Amino acid sequence: HYAFLMLRSGLLSEHFYILRNKSGGIQLANANILEQKKALVAELADRMKNAQGGVIVNYQGINVTDDTKLRSELRNAGVEYTVVKNTLTSKACDLIGFEGLKDQLTGMTALATCESDPIAPAKILANYAKDHENFVLKAGFVDGELLDANGVKELAETPSKEVLIGRLMGSLQSGLYGFAYAIQAIIDKEEG
């Protein structure tokens, strides 16, 4: 009632909105700040939608030195890692149909996404979580499919794209070498 009376009496500018918070109380919101938050949500939704893979973690309890090393490793792998307010991430999830992730948006949450490698965020963060018990993998997504914490751990065990391509090339080459040796043996036998 107090905010309404302030608005009516001219003590409060029309550039403010009166909102109800989660507990039912009234709070004031600046129109410019609301627009900035909408832009942040849209940007976050685009980032998540365009990523091949992403992971949500609870980063509570890690020290600055370890966090700096982790961020450096993620950056070198092309992974974008940021701490984003849970409410903004929740609204971004609503925009792109990732509502299943919203249950995991509690506590101190960070988001890691990668546009070029669906496995990199899971692999790096799962490896980090092994050495830091307070660092918890919560959920993730790959190619638009949502994963629980176990799904993220399984994804982390998947070899990288480069390793898989190398294995495929190696198996193709071994088959071709075997075929070439067989042909050469036939030629040598016919000449001999």
Side-chain angles (χ1 to χ4, degrees), residues 80-177:
E80 187 175 351
Y81 177 80
T82 53
V83 174
V84 185
K85 290 182 78 171
N86 291 331
T87 54
L88 299 179
T89 306
S90 177
K91 290 176 190 228
C93 288
D94 286 338
L95 288 177
I96 59 173
F98 282 8
E99 290 88 0
L101 295 177
K102 291 172 59 169
D103 292 343
Q104 301 302 321
L105 300 175
T106 58
M108 299 175 69
T109 308
L111 173 67
T113 58
C114 188
E115 289 187 13
S116 60
D117 186 351
I119 300 171
K123 188 173 287 299
I124 294 168
L125 295 173
N127 188 40
Y128 186 81
K130 288 178 187 175
D131 298 332
H132 300 84
E133 66 184 44
N134 291 335
F135 192 84
V136 179
L137 301 172
K138 291 178 143 189
F141 55 92
V142 64
D143 292 329
E145 296 295 321
L146 303 183
L147 305 171
D148 61 5
N150 289 330
V152 172
K153 290 174 186 173
E154 289 176 16
L155 181 63
E157 298 299 320
T158 304
S160 70
K161 182 178 178 181
E162 291 78 17
V163 170
L164 291 173
I165 290 172
R167 287 181 184 172
L168 175 66
M169 296 305 292
S171 65
L172 288 175
Q173 282 182 330
S174 68
L176 290 174
Y177 284 134

Side-chain angles (χ1 to χ4, degrees), residues 44-64:
L44 183 59
D46 283 343
R47 174 181 156 199
M48 292 171 72
K49 185 172 64 173
N50 294 328
Q52 287 190 18
V55 177
I56 294 173
V57 298
N58 181 341
Y59 67 93
Q60 186 172 358
I62 62 172
N63 63 43
V64 175

